[in-house]
Structures are given as C-alpha cells and as structure tokens.
Amino acid sequence: MYHVSIIGTGSYVPERVLSNHHLSKMVDTSDRWIIERTGIRERRIAGEEETNTTMGMIALQRAIQNAGIRPEEIESLVIGTNTTEPVWPSSGGPMVEGLGLRKDIPFFDVQAGCTGFNYALAIAENSIKAGQYTTVAVIGTDKLSAITNYQDRSTCVLFGDGAGAVILRRSDQDGLIRSYLGGNAGSRNLLLLIKKNGSPNGYISMEGRKVYIFAKRIMVESCLRVLDPAGTAGKSELRALFEQVDKIIPHQANARIIMGAAEEFESRLGLPDGEAKEKMIMTIEQYGNNSCASIPLALDLSIREGKVKKGDLLIFVGFGAGLTYGANLVRL
Ligand code: COA
C-alpha cells in the first residue's frame, strides 16, 4: 500500500456578506439570538452567476498554485457537493476544462450531505493508497443559499456558501493516515432533507434539535473511532491517542455543537478543562455553515493564519444529511 499526503490547499468565499443584522430585517430573529444559539455573526452568499462549480474551480486553482503542480498532473477529481444544478452532469466537467486539467480524467460528485468532503477525501485517499493514481484533487463546494428558504428563521440563519480544495499526492510520509465513515439509513434519514414546497430546487428542512443532539454525539464517536479503528482501546489508551492530536477541524454547523463535543471529550477521557476546546478550529463566526466547503475552507485558512502547521496531527470530522458522518486522521 502507498502513502498519501496533502501537498496543497486553496479556498474561496463569495464577496457578499449577509450579517445577522441584515437577517433580522428579513425574518423574526436577532443578532443576539443567532450568536448565542449558533456562534454565527455573518455568512457569505454567492452572486447570481456563481455556482458550486465556479466557486470550486477558484478553490482548486488556488490549491494547484499552492501545491506548485501543473494542472495536467491531476489524474482524478473528486468533489463533495450537494448543490449541483441540475444534478447531472457532475459539477467537475467545467472545472476540468476551465483549469486545463487533462480532459480524459475521471471527475464526479460525492453527495453525502455536509459530510461530502470527508467522504470525497476518503475515496481519493484510498485510490492513491491502492496505487490507482499518484495525484488527485479533492474539492468541497456548496451553494446552500440556492436551497435555503429565507422566510424560515430556523434554517436561514445557519447557512452560507463557499469552497475549499486540497491536492493529494503519493508520498513517503503517512499523511492521510485513515478515514472512518458512517451513515444512518433508519429513522434519522429524514431529520435533514430537501422538501419541494413549490420551489424549483426545494428547500432545506430539518429537525434542528434532533440533528443537534446527534451531531454532538457523533462528532465525539467519529474522532475516537478514527483514532482507534478497532474500537477496543480503554480510557487511558484513548486519552493518550487524543492527546497526540494537535487540532480538530470540525464541520462548522454550530459553535455549541463543537464546544459541546469538546466538553464531552474532556469528561469522557478525564482531560483537564479546556484541553479539547483548545484543539477545536472555528471559522463559523464569519462563514456560518457552508456544508462541504466548511472543513477544507477552515483547513486552508488555518494554514494561512499559522493555526496549523506542517507535521501537525489533525482530525477532520463531519456530519450531515443522511444522517452521514465521518472523520479523517491526517498528518499535515
Ligand atoms: N431566531 C429566533 N428564534 C428562533 C430562531 C431564530 N433564528 N430559530 C428558532 N427560534 C426559536 C424556536 O422557534 C423556538 O421557539 P419556541 O421555544 O417558542 O418554540 C426557540 O427558538 C428554541 O428553538 P430550538 O430549536 O429548541 O433552539 P436550539 O437551541 O436547538 O437552536 C438550532 C436551534 C437550529 C440553531 C440548533 O438546534 C442547531 O444548530 N441544530 C443543528 C442544525 C444543524 O447543524 N444542521 C445542519 C447539519 S449539517
């Protein structure tokens, strides 16, 4: 089996800022309610002409530049996204053409709710580990504003748009160590879905409280399982594994979910107060929940801001419609 590393990152957010203040003029809400319940102050909203494809393309272009490779070196393009319009063909075709990638490479969307980036990364990771490819691009991109009902205060305050990308390459170092993915095809399948409600694309509909409870628990479970795939480690072993992790980059759905999960790590593993909280990377205040973009965007920003650095041990952990979930253990 081959090893694989992340050799470049890039991201993009639209220019238009939608603040809590502005939202409070659109629906019956307030800046205070949104900050207290979610940690979000503002989010970015794509322009009319922008799509998950155009945003993903810019993020990928930046990742290619950051990696210092030529576009023709990319052998496969895997895109985590939920907002390709229409569903066919994949959002990747225009990216391949627009950025001068080889026209015969495989490109496809992975649709797994907000866990799409974790899933896409795992697929790409394994294709390199198996020896199928040397260089693969992975994108997380979503335009949730296209499927958000701006008359529904329980959802419209949460979501935003954006994109992030990584370049993976076969390597001597064990960069992408392993991934752990899961789903919930039972009763939880309908807690978060698109309902037509007379609109052409349909709107996001969710049972927020139930998703919240699930998300907090599954974030903790997913991180522990990616550290201990057999699920056999005792408390002290798990604690030792967890202490080796430098930062956790979670899907940015709600600051309270992220901090709640951190508290659960601390109580379950007997860690000092604050130790898990300090590991959590948060971008939600500025960008809200931009679905598949949230993890690669947070990764790219964290590298630029020096919050994470080469050699750090990271966990990317996500959850979303499905209800899907997953985590990737990464040595940067
Ligand atoms: N502004 C003001 N009040 C609001 C509001 C808003 N934007 N949205 C909901 N409320 C109201 C509710 O109507 C409810 O009022 P009631 O008590 O009179 O019925 C009250 O606030 C509390 O609602 P509740 O749903 O219990 O609040 P909460 O603390 O669970 O926060 C969410 C709501 C949606 C922020 C939270 O449940 C959440 O983040 N869930 C996870 C959602 C998610 O991450 N989805 C995507 C996963 S990828």
Side-chain angles (χ1 to χ4, degrees):
M1 202 168 72
Y2 297 96
H3 291 315
V4 46
S5 291
I6 294 176
I7 59 161
T9 62
S11 63
Y12 171 78
V13 288
E15 269 181 32
R16 188 179 152 210
V17 175
L18 178 60
S19 67
N20 290 351
H21 180 67
H22 198 127
L23 272 169
S24 66
K25 293 181 183 159
M26 296 160 65
V27 287
D28 181 13
T29 190
S30 67
D31 181 44
R32 187 165 169 195
W33 191 96
I34 303 171
I35 289 175
E36 278 180 13
R37 299 291 181 118
T38 71
I40 302 168
R41 263 177 217 285
E42 57 188 43
R43 64 291 289 141
R44 298 300 179 97
I45 303 297
E48 284 281 303
E49 302 299 316
E50 287 186 299
T51 64
N52 63 342
T53 298
T54 65
M55 293 189 292
M57 180 144 57
I58 300 171
L60 177 56
Q61 185 175 35
R62 291 175 178 170
I64 290 170
Q65 264 169 12
N66 180 248
I69 62 164
R70 287 174 294 113
E72 311 87 272
E73 293 176 58
I74 294 170
E75 297 156 289
S76 171
L77 173 60
V78 190
I79 304 146
T81 189
N82 302 283
T83 47
T84 301
E85 290 176 58
V87 176
W88 295 352
S90 155
S91 61
M95 301 189 201
V96 170
E97 239 193 314
L99 296 180
L101 275 58
R102 268 182 22 220
K103 287 215 178 93
D104 60 348
I105 65 164
F107 59 90
F108 55 100
D109 292 358
V110 176
Q111 199 258 77
C114 298
T115 322
F117 181 75
N118 305 85
Y119 272 53
L121 193 63
I123 292 166
E125 167 196 343
N126 289 318
S127 70
I128 295 179
K129 283 184 174 172
Q132 194 177 9
Y133 304 116
T134 307
T135 309
V136 178
V138 183
I139 300 177
T141 179
D142 263 311
K143 183 179 174 178
L144 287 188
S145 63
I147 50 168
T148 299
N149 179 357
Y150 287 94
Q151 291 172 354
D152 173 10
R153 68 175 184 175
S154 70
T155 53
C156 75
V157 301
L158 302 173
F159 302 120
D161 302 329
V166 298
I167 307 292
L168 306 183
R169 177 163 274 182
R170 186 188 291 177
S171 139
D172 297 337
Q173 319 271 312
D174 198 4
L176 291 192
I177 298 167
R178 72 179 79 90
S179 297
Y180 167 71
L181 304 177
N184 255 284
S187 56
R188 292 201 181 95
N189 195 224
L190 300 179
L191 293 181
L192 178 52
L193 71 167
I194 305 287
K195 282 193 182 160
K196 276 285 180 192
N197 285 346
S199 71
N201 296 325
Y203 288 134
I204 300 170
S205 165
M206 96 187 151
E207 292 195 40
R209 198 70 223 161
K210 289 186 181 159
V211 174
Y212 181 100
I213 292 164
F214 169 81
K216 201 171 79 163
R217 180 179 64 76
I218 210 66
M219 251 187 75
V220 175
E221 297 286 324
S222 301
C223 288
L224 296 180
R225 281 305 287 269
V226 84
L227 287 169
D228 167 34
T232 51
K235 184 173 162 179
S236 57
E237 272 175 284
L238 276 179
R239 181 182 162 140
L241 288 168
F242 187 83
E243 281 177 330
Q244 287 169 25
V245 175
D246 294 292
K247 293 284 178 197
I248 295 175
I249 303 187
H251 171 47
Q252 307 284 315
N254 185 321
R256 282 162 58 221
I257 295 177
I258 298 172
M259 282 304 134
E263 276 164 22
E264 203 168 315
F265 280 123
E266 288 165 9
S267 70
R268 247 173 96 167
L269 304 179
L271 298 166
D273 189 25
E275 189 169 318
K277 290 190 198 81
E278 277 166 21
K279 291 188 198 285
M280 296 293 175
I281 296 283
M282 300 251 266
T283 57
I284 188 162
E285 190 175 333
Q286 259 186 300
Y287 301 110
N289 175 352
N290 45 28
S291 195
C292 290
S294 85
I295 292 173
L297 170 64
L299 171 67
D300 188 48
L301 295 174
S302 302
I303 292 171
R304 280 165 212 286
E305 290 164 12
K307 289 181 186 161
V308 300
K309 55 186 187 315
K310 187 127 193 65
D312 278 356
L313 186 63
L314 309 175
I315 298 177
F316 306 155
V317 58
F319 52 85
L323 293 176
T324 56
Y325 51 92
N328 318 91
L329 185 64
V330 179
R331 176 78 65 189
L332 202 58

